[in-house]
Amino acid sequence: AMLALALMAGGAVGGPLAWPGWERVPYFVHCSNTSGPVSDDVLAFQRRASFTVVQVQQGMGDGCAGEELPATCNATGAEAKMAAAIARIRQPPGRPNATAILYWTVDNIRFETDMGRAALKQHPELLLTNCDRSGNLAKYKYDFSNPAAVQAWAEGIAAIVKAGGWDGVFIDGYQGFKACTGGPPGESAPSSPMRTPREGPHIPLTHPSEGVGEGRPVTCVEQIGANLSRAVGSAPINVTGYLHGFWYNTGPALRAALPPGAVMIPNCEGGYGCQDGNGSSRIPGYNAVMEEFFGDGLNHLPNWTDTANGKAIGDTENIASLRLLAAKQTIAEINWTDERDQDHVMTALAAYLIGAGVNQYFGVIGWRWNCAEIPMGTLGPLLSKPLGPPQADPVTTMRAVGNTTEIVYTRSFGAGTHVTLNVSTGTQAGRFLDAWTHCCIRWSDGTNNTCNAGDCGYAEGR
């Protein structure tokens, strides 16, 4: 999976992030350690990072099996435990000015947090419940059709940021609602080879949902509303108002509540999840763009698309999206979340090096956001190698291989590193991502890393 995070640099909504340049691969860390403090190796890695995002599970142990329901989460105090993790990074002989980003959510309430517990206990009238397909309670949400709920969410997060000395927030959950969101009116459509944006705040009330309903398509609002109820009472729910508040009102409210200059990073689904096709955020109030799921086209889309007709798989879409973000002087993060798989770590690093521009970072997370699962033995040495500025934009060529077409990206860096990444299109049923994504990173010190054995020869066409 690729995560692409982009934050507008400078301007009225700029934050305290200082991009270190191209001397080495610029990176940040996003993880938590449920058992408590991280290892000394991970701590040193965090201290070298440009910034750190602390996941909400920090220090929870085994006491919170399901964070979205109070009945399955007995551990609390996440705010203090996350703050303690950052304090350890900053304490001498560490890095006193280390930039710290608080993880939080917008699409659900987390019950390992004191804020989540208080919301349910003190203001249940501001909440909705969301059931799964079997009708079982799955999570609680703020009713963003109610301005009081928007303010409670924003001001609660801002209070945590101020109390903990955080430099900004990473807000998870600006995703889903694919049948409801296709981009706001007037938004520029992305040019070839990308698909139309799949996410955004526009709410076409008559857009049918695929495969839903009894003998007729239902609107996206009906689909979402069918799973929502009030936490208190039975008054009708304004689903249209909820979606409007979710996309349009939460960001500005949080921006107003946070200290001036705070970083605001939203998490959205891949390829144009959060950006407008021009490299800017489509979520009001945020100075960031984040996209997930490198490999989306290979693993999740129902059908392959072809570049000859102006379409592309998710990989190509996300790399091109990084280029747009770089053109707008933003920061971006790209990574494969299943980092136990070393092949996919290399795929992610190669894709980042191909697509990244100024003010863009490589993001490091662990398996299920566990700091202990960061592949330190693999990534630690690589992210310390000399890199140098890119010599030019990536070069893209096409080549036919059997019944498929490969998109071949190449790029060179000032210190002598050269990267080749091949992404295939076509039908290759039953084969996993690393079976047809090939990469070769030839470092300036003469070593190389590959996505698969033998990839340097294959990717470079030798």
Side-chain angles (χ1 to χ4, degrees):
M2 175 182 112
L3 302 175
L5 160 74
L7 180 64
M8 299 303 295
V13 294
L17 297 177
W19 190 65
W22 292 110
E23 181 179 358
R24 293 175 176 80
V25 176
Y27 74 93
F28 74 91
V29 179
H30 178 180
C31 67
S32 66
N33 208 50
T34 56
S35 61
V38 299
S39 69
D40 290 344
D41 285 347
V42 172
L43 180 63
F45 193 64
Q46 289 175 318
R47 286 173 173 169
R48 292 194 299 270
S50 294
F51 59 98
T52 296
V53 180
V54 180
Q55 188 77 4
V56 72
Q57 293 95 335
Q58 176 66 33
M60 289 296 109
D62 298 326
C64 191
E67 302 97 335
E68 296 179 348
L69 294 173
T72 55
C73 188
N74 296 320
T76 56
E79 293 91 332
K81 294 170 183 175
M82 288 190 283
I86 287 298
R88 187 164 175 245
I89 295 173
R90 289 172 169 169
Q91 71 186 22
R95 191 174 166 193
N97 62 344
T99 299
I101 306 296
L102 173 75
Y103 174 94
W104 214 260
T105 56
V106 67
D107 64 333
N108 62 66
I109 295 174
R110 305 294 287 263
F111 287 104
E112 68 268 71
T113 68
D114 295 337
M115 176 178 160
R117 297 273 177 174
L120 182 59
K121 182 177 180 180
Q122 299 172 11
H123 294 288
E125 75 280 1
L126 300 180
L127 308 184
L128 303 174
T129 59
N130 198 137
C131 293
D132 60 23
R133 293 181 179 180
S134 299
N136 300 314
L137 177 61
K139 64 182 69 176
Y140 287 83
K141 298 173 175 282
Y142 283 94
D143 179 7
F144 290 126
S145 69
N146 185 341
V150 174
Q151 287 303 116
W153 175 82
E155 291 175 1
I157 296 171
I160 296 165
V161 167
K162 295 170 185 176
W166 299 90
D167 298 297
V169 294
F170 175 112
I171 304 298
D172 203 358
Y174 283 104
Q175 50 197 354
F177 311 144
K178 290 183 179 179
C180 294
T181 55
E187 180 175 279
S188 298
S191 59
S192 175
M194 301 174 202
R195 296 191 302 273
T196 301
R198 296 174 293 155
E199 299 289 332
H202 184 40
I203 306 168
L205 301 183
T206 59
H207 190 104
S209 220
E210 295 179 4
V212 179
E214 297 180 2
R216 68 172 183 88
V218 300
T219 68
C220 60
V221 172
E222 289 176 306
Q223 181 186 24
I224 293 169
N227 296 319
L228 292 178
S229 301
R230 293 203 174 276
V232 175
S234 57
I237 297 170
N238 181 356
V239 180
T240 301
Y242 166 78
L243 290 171
H244 184 93
F246 179 93
W247 286 108
Y248 283 104
N249 299 340
T250 53
L254 184 56
R255 170 60 60 197
L258 287 172
V263 177
M264 284 177 58
I265 300 168
N267 182 20
C268 297
E269 289 186 1
Y272 289 89
C274 280
Q275 72 149 299
D276 61 2
N278 293 308
S280 299
S281 176
R282 60 156 44 110
I283 305 178
Y286 283 84
N287 51 2
V289 176
M290 181 146 188
E291 300 172 352
E292 284 191 292
F293 304 128
F294 185 76
D296 195 27
L298 297 111
N299 291 328
H300 301 293
L301 295 180
N303 297 298
W304 288 90
T305 54
D306 62 278
T307 53
N309 292 322
K311 300 179 180 180
I313 58 175
D315 293 345
T316 310
E317 176 183 288
N318 278 320
I319 288 173
S321 180
L322 282 180
R323 302 304 305 148
L324 277 177
L325 298 175
K328 301 291 281 191
Q329 293 189 330
T330 60
I331 65 169
E333 178 255 322
I334 172 173
N335 210 344
W336 181 270
T337 59
D338 301 346
E339 291 203 61
R340 288 185 180 186
D341 188 330
Q342 299 301 303
D343 294 342
H344 291 149
V345 175
M346 289 306 108
T347 301
L349 182 55
Y352 168 83
L353 291 172
I354 290 294
V358 171
N359 291 324
Q360 297 186 322
Y361 299 76
F362 181 77
V364 180
I365 65 176
W367 174 258
R368 297 191 179 275
W369 300 275
N370 186 347
C371 295
E373 296 286 356
I374 291 175
M376 294 295 301
T378 300
L379 280 179
L382 299 186
L383 300 186
S384 297
K385 289 179 179 288
L387 184 64
Q391 299 302 285
D393 288 340
V395 175
T396 306
T397 58
M398 309 285 285
R399 74 182 188 188
V401 179
N403 294 326
T404 70
T405 300
E406 288 190 346
I407 306 167
V408 184
Y409 299 95
T410 58
R411 198 180 197 189
S412 296
F413 293 83
T417 295
H418 184 76
V419 184
T420 305
L421 174 68
N422 295 30
V423 179
S424 301
T425 67
T427 302
Q428 299 191 30
R431 301 181 68 187
F432 292 104
L433 171 66
D434 60 358
W436 64 78
T437 297
H438 304 273
C439 71
C440 175
I441 305 173
R442 292 190 180 274
W443 299 97
S444 59
D445 62 5
T447 61
N448 63 70
N449 291 94
T450 61
C451 295
N452 314 278
D455 263 5
C456 282
Y458 181 91
E460 296 169 348
R462 293 186 288 107

